[in-house]
Amino acid sequence: MIRVVLVDDQALFRAGIRMLVASQPDLDVVGEAGDGREAVALVRSVRPDVVLMDIRMPVMDGLTATAEILAQPDPPRIVMLTTFDLDEAAARAIRQGASGFLLKDADPEFLLAAIRTVHAGSSVIAASATRELFQHFAEAPQPVPAEFSTLTDREREIFALAARGLSNSEIAAREYLSEATVKTHISRILAKLALRDRVQLVVFAFEHGLA
């Protein structure tokens, strides 16, 4: 059972999402909050697996709440909810460690699939969408960390393809590898660079001028 917390200042929106999520046999809404401050306390109390977090709320916004939640031991996966495709606040949240973002008018089946995908340890959005977001809000590149030099030539090739938004199957076809092998390489790359998921990989690539 995947334990979900909903955070949004609009009660009607929360009710709709709660009904959708609760209709699934493998998903359980274990709490709701109407602002970021409530969310931080709620997450500490109920220890959910996934948090759907609105960005713009009173009392404490979603960005501040996300930072506080991710600072807790063993934090949940956080998915930002936004009304804008290219949202600078969503970009900031992903830099902080959120696993991606969803548009509030996303297809219901996509939202349900996103919760499951994030819980499984992957990003909630296509890396290409993250890439477009960070390309739009690109800043001056930072120096490349020493950890990047620990990647093998093959890992650097796969890193570059993943940073461009290619899926495991697309990388496998291009590099003449099995999907399982690509998945292993991606896991090693994430471990070496201390990144949580593919979204963080795309962020890393843009921040260091590697995309």
Side-chain angles (χ1 to χ4, degrees):
M1 186 68 74
I2 302 173
R3 296 160 53 80
V4 181
V5 157
L6 311 176
V7 185
D8 194 287
D9 61 330
Q10 298 179 359
L12 190 60
F13 179 80
R14 292 201 314 270
I17 299 298
R18 183 179 65 246
M19 289 176 62
L20 174 67
V21 173
S23 70
Q24 304 299 301
D26 60 330
L27 305 179
D28 183 26
V29 177
V30 295
E32 298 179 31
D35 62 63
R37 185 172 295 164
E38 287 182 8
V40 173
L42 179 62
V43 167
R44 189 177 289 117
S45 172
V46 303
R47 308 298 300 170
D49 300 306
V50 176
V51 177
L52 300 179
M53 176 79 73
D54 189 20
I55 291 179
R56 292 163 182 83
M57 295 180 291
V59 185
M60 178 187 287
D61 63 37
L63 288 177
T64 306
T66 293
E68 290 199 15
I69 290 170
L70 291 175
Q72 297 179 13
D74 193 23
R77 296 280 177 167
I78 300 181
V79 179
M80 310 308 293
L81 300 173
T82 177
T83 54
F84 307 107
D85 242 329
L86 293 175
D87 189 336
E88 188 169 10
R92 287 170 56 200
I94 292 170
R95 282 195 186 97
Q96 289 177 349
S99 293
F101 72 95
L102 279 174
L103 293 176
K104 283 194 168 185
D105 61 356
D107 182 84
E109 290 304 316
F110 182 78
L111 184 146
L112 294 172
I115 293 172
R116 297 181 178 107
T117 300
V118 166
H119 180 254
S122 300
S123 58
V124 68
I125 52 175
S128 55
T130 311
R131 190 175 192 280
E132 182 183 2
L133 181 66
F134 279 87
Q135 198 165 29
H136 191 75
F137 296 111
E139 299 174 354
Q142 302 171 13
V144 178
E147 290 81 7
F148 190 73
S149 65
T150 67
L151 300 186
T152 65
D153 289 342
R154 172 67 86 180
E155 287 169 349
R156 291 190 188 205
E157 290 175 12
I158 292 175
F159 172 93
L161 295 173
R164 286 169 50 192
L166 273 67
S167 66
N168 284 357
S169 60
E170 291 169 333
I171 294 173
R174 182 169 298 207
E175 296 291 304
Y176 303 103
L177 299 169
S178 70
E179 283 192 51
T181 300
V182 172
K183 186 174 181 181
T184 298
H185 279 303
I186 292 288
S187 295
R188 288 176 180 164
I189 292 167
L190 295 178
K192 287 182 178 181
L193 300 179
L195 304 174
R196 290 182 61 180
D197 52 34
R198 292 173 76 107
V199 171
Q200 293 290 300
L201 185 152
V202 176
V203 174
F204 180 96
F206 268 93
E207 287 185 336
H208 300 100
L210 299 169

